[in-house]
Amino acid sequence: MEQFRVTPLIPLHIGGYDVSFTNQALVMCVIVGLISLFTVMALTKRQLVPGRMQSIAELTYEFVGNMIHSSAGDAGYRFFPFVFTIFVFVLFANVMGLIPGVFTVTSQIAVTFALAMLVILAVIVTGFIRYGFGFLKLFVPKAPLVLLILLVPIELISFLTRPISLSVRLFANMLAGHTMLKVFAGFVISLGGAGGILSVLSIAPMAMIVAISALELLVAVLQAYIFAILTCIYLNDALNLHESH
Amino acid sequence: MAEPAHTTAGTEVPAEPGGFPPFKTETYPSQLFWLTITFAVLFVVMWRVALPRLHSVVNDRKGRIDGDIAAAQKSRSDAETASQAYDAALSSARKRAQALANESRQAINAEVDKARAKAEAESAALMAEAEKRIGASRDAARQHVEGAAQDAAIAIVARLTGDQVAADEAVSAVRASQV
């Protein structure tokens, strides 16, 4: 489990808290640097007919734009920078974690839960700013009064569990994928070290690692997408009460 | 967490490998601290620098394409109007040319008819005059012949019978023989 261990590189304490610069912090800084470099560099030329880098940046931009529009409508564009940042941050964190030896930021429940809470807080704040206490109508679906006794607690619980499901989904996916890779890698080493015919057999778990790596790449991108689209859907609750897009 | 003097997570973990790293709460302050900083920086960079640029590039292109399409459509409709105008001009010119041709043909026909009528009238007059003249000379010739026949008849009668025939008698006799 040492690939999930947060180890301090530069010890640092502020106000009694241990806020050391860790391997995780280093990777997060690299992520921010890479994304900034990528998005800013891609647009230095501002070509009418985009080159490769510019195409990727534009595709990402339009992908997130479509995602917001399809799930939260025009009002959702106000949250474009927010959703875009969440998407690219999670995407880069997930994908970079696949590089052997690189710490996976999103395999930490603290990080995913903090991101999920940020989303839910954004939803709650937006909802109350937009609708005042009318935002509480979100928990009261259009149904007969008798059913409401049942439905309101359900809605309330489903809303309150959102940060948990949102964060645990990403965390567990990353954790499980990396653990699985580690387990198969362990097989390769123990089989290879066993000598004789068993050493030859170690090629089987090696092939599995290759296959799982491909799967994990898919999972990494998919989970970033899921995180971002759920963010949009939750924001839609705050922007358009009971109106689906 | 409340004890700052406590050793950090990293140095602690090798001593107790049983702890599941993501659940080690002593690492949370550091994780959240750096997450906040990096995420905030990324958000500001995206919000203030990257996304406005992307937005302007994508919109510029969209505007350019839309403008070009609009210009192309305008050119096409212009060309269509021009071709319609050309067709209209062509057909009106053709009509006018036809009208002109008709008119001049009628004028020429009328002139030709007039000229023919005049020529015919002239030739008719000439012919009538010629006929009159022929008739006159024929009458003159006949009188001449009649006179000669009269004289001859008188002379013949005088030679054969010795009688002197009156001129009136001779004339009527000649006339009777002519019929």
Side-chain angles (χ1 to χ4, degrees):
Chain A
M1 286 290 156
E2 78 269 9
Q3 78 263 45
F4 302 120
R5 195 177 297 146
V6 181
T7 47
L9 302 175
I10 304 163
L12 186 68
H13 292 83
I14 295 174
Y17 290 105
D18 175 13
V19 290
S20 304
F21 188 79
T22 59
N23 54 345
Q24 184 197 34
L26 176 68
V27 173
M28 289 197 286
C29 289
V30 171
I31 289 170
V32 171
L34 275 179
I35 294 171
S36 308
L37 204 69
F38 166 67
T39 48
V40 175
M41 285 277 284
L43 289 174
T44 43
K45 287 193 217 154
R46 298 175 58 99
Q47 290 159 303
L48 191 65
V49 177
R52 259 178 239 189
M53 292 289 279
Q54 196 182 328
S55 273
I56 296 170
E58 284 178 15
L59 281 175
T60 316
Y61 174 86
E62 284 178 351
F63 178 72
V64 175
N66 288 336
M67 187 158 72
I68 292 172
H69 188 77
S70 63
S71 51
D74 287 330
Y77 281 121
R78 211 176 304 163
F79 289 93
F80 197 105
F82 180 63
V83 176
F84 189 87
T85 310
I86 282 189
F87 177 67
V88 289
F89 185 82
V90 174
L91 180 70
F92 271 65
N94 290 355
V95 174
M96 275 186 56
L98 285 175
I99 301 167
V102 176
F103 186 85
T104 312
V105 176
T106 40
S107 69
Q108 299 294 319
I109 185 76
V111 169
T112 59
F113 191 74
L115 288 175
M117 281 312 290
L118 186 63
V119 171
I120 299 304
L121 282 177
V123 169
I124 292 171
V125 170
T126 311
F128 276 111
I129 287 173
R130 210 172 156 91
Y131 293 104
F133 281 100
F135 179 56
L136 294 175
K137 273 187 237 155
L138 182 68
F139 305 116
V140 187
K142 281 171 195 143
L145 201 68
V146 188
L147 278 178
L148 282 183
I149 299 165
L150 201 62
L151 285 173
V152 170
I154 290 175
E155 289 280 337
L156 206 60
I157 291 167
S158 93
F159 187 84
L160 291 177
T161 51
R162 273 176 186 180
I164 298 168
S165 67
L166 192 60
S167 57
V168 169
R169 181 184 299 110
L170 180 58
F171 160 67
N173 266 287
M174 290 301 113
L175 192 78
H178 286 78
T179 308
M180 196 149 61
L181 282 172
K182 177 94 187 275
V183 167
F184 278 98
F187 284 164
V188 175
I189 289 164
S190 52
L191 278 172
I197 190 99
L198 287 175
S199 295
V200 182
L201 280 178
S202 68
I203 203 148
M206 188 67 212
M208 277 304 284
I209 290 178
V210 173
I212 291 172
S213 295
L215 179 73
E216 282 307 306
L217 185 63
L218 173 74
V219 169
V221 177
L222 192 67
Q223 288 302 324
Y225 171 66
I226 289 172
F227 202 95
I229 195 131
L230 284 174
T231 301
C232 294
I233 290 169
Y234 296 160
L235 283 171
N236 181 44
D237 282 344
L239 294 168
N240 315 290
L241 277 179
H242 293 306
E243 287 169 35
S244 59
H245 271 273
Chain B
M1 283 202 289
E3 294 168 346
H6 202 68
T7 45
T8 54
T11 52
E12 230 176 22
V13 166
E16 40 163 81
F20 185 50
F23 292 156
K24 284 193 171 299
T25 48
E26 63 265 31
T27 64
Y28 287 3
S30 157
Q31 289 196 41
L32 295 179
F33 178 75
W34 289 105
L35 175 68
T36 310
I37 289 177
T38 50
F39 192 83
V41 168
L42 184 66
F43 178 74
V44 170
V45 171
M46 292 298 109
W47 179 36
R48 285 289 173 206
V49 185
L51 293 177
R53 282 194 189 193
L54 272 166
H55 185 76
S56 74
V57 166
V58 171
N59 271 24
D60 280 357
R61 179 178 311 114
K62 205 171 160 233
R64 173 87 177 263
I65 290 170
D66 288 350
D68 284 0
I69 287 173
Q73 259 163 358
K74 198 184 168 294
S75 305
R76 194 169 69 178
S77 70
D78 283 355
E80 270 167 14
T81 353
S83 111
Q84 276 168 1
Y86 167 77
D87 284 346
L90 195 68
S91 74
S92 87
R94 195 172 283 146
K95 246 179 247 168
R96 253 177 50 209
Q98 226 154 22
L100 268 175
N102 278 342
E103 213 172 279
S104 57
R105 194 180 296 131
Q106 277 167 0
I108 289 165
N109 280 350
E111 220 163 291
V112 166
D113 286 348
K114 219 162 83 183
R116 190 191 289 139
K118 197 177 155 200
E120 275 170 4
E122 266 172 26
S123 65
L126 276 173
M127 219 180 279
E129 200 183 322
E131 265 167 21
K132 216 158 75 186
R133 232 183 305 148
I134 289 165
S137 58
R138 193 178 52 206
D139 286 351
R142 188 176 285 159
Q143 271 170 7
H144 219 69
V145 167
E146 267 177 25
Q150 231 174 283
D151 289 347
I154 294 167
I156 290 164
V157 170
R159 178 77 63 93
L160 287 177
T161 59
D163 287 348
Q164 204 63 32
V165 181
D168 295 351
E169 259 177 275
V171 167
S172 59
V174 167
R175 290 252 169 99
S177 72
Q178 269 179 339
V179 176

